[in-house]
Amino acid sequence: MSMFRRYGDRYVATFAVDEVRVLRKVASEVVGLLTDGFDHGDPVVGRLFPEVYPEDAASTAEFRRYTEGDLKTAKIDQAGAILAALPGGEVGGEVRLDAEAAEAWLRALNDARLAMGVRLEIKDGTDVGEELDEAVAVDPTSSRVFQLSVYAYLGYLQESLLNALID
């Protein structure tokens, strides 16, 4: 598994082909969710764009009117930063991020994990390792096993990038 390390003013990780595929798919799905699939009735959209005033629908609508477009654009750009930095084609390779790109990656990885967490019904107290063990026991080839593995991988990657940033 790739891990980010700091080299001067750059944050560097080398990704295997499968890791590039997963990151490309996850970032593309976030972009799709925020463009073609954008629906306030979707619980994932609700998690990424929470109601600021849950007891006051009019104030929430007013706040959204002024902020949602910019926030959505920022989230799309952040997912785009992942896509732009990944090696092209069907190859693995090195990713080198400056501080601004690293911050965008962190925010995009967070959005992807939030989205996956909603779909996987992961709550604050959920032990992802335990969930993964249970899913493997039921059916090691299930999509849930794959999705939980990706969720855990994104967390690992996010943590390694954050640690590189604070070193």
Side-chain angles (χ1 to χ4, degrees), residues 8 14 18 29-30 38 41-42 49 57 59 67 73 76 84 89 100 105 128-130 138 152 164:
T14 302
D18 289 339
E29 287 178 357
V30 169
F38 195 76
D42 183 339
F49 297 87
S59 293
T67 62
T73 298
I76 291 167
E100 184 179 340
W105 269 60
V128 176
E130 189 176 297
V138 172

Side-chain angles (χ1 to χ4, degrees), residues 20-78:
V20 170
R21 282 187 195 129
V22 165
L23 288 170
R24 192 172 301 287
K25 181 167 177 46
V26 166
S28 296
E29 287 178 357
V30 169
V31 170
L33 175 74
L34 298 173
T35 55
D36 303 333
F38 195 76
D39 172 13
H40 281 288
D42 183 339
V44 172
V45 171
R47 182 67 175 102
L48 294 175
F49 297 87
E51 292 187 7
V52 178
Y53 307 105
E55 305 300 321
D56 186 350
S59 293
T60 293
E62 185 73 2
F63 183 82
R64 276 196 176 133
R65 186 167 74 101
Y66 289 108
T67 62
E68 188 172 84
D70 289 342
L71 183 56
K72 190 177 358 173
T73 298
K75 289 179 179 297
I76 291 167
D77 289 348
Q78 291 155 8

Side-chain angles (χ1 to χ4, degrees), residues 91-104:
V91 297
E94 187 175 84
V95 168
R96 300 178 70 78
L97 306 174
D98 61 19
E100 184 179 340
E103 292 286 338

Side-chain angles (χ1 to χ4, degrees), residues 2-23:
S2 297
M3 188 160 108
F4 277 96
R5 302 229 186 270
R6 184 177 187 159
Y7 294 102
D9 64 347
R10 299 283 183 217
Y11 305 91
V12 180
T14 302
F15 293 95
V17 173
D18 289 339
E19 291 173 304
V20 170
R21 282 187 195 129
V22 165
L23 288 170

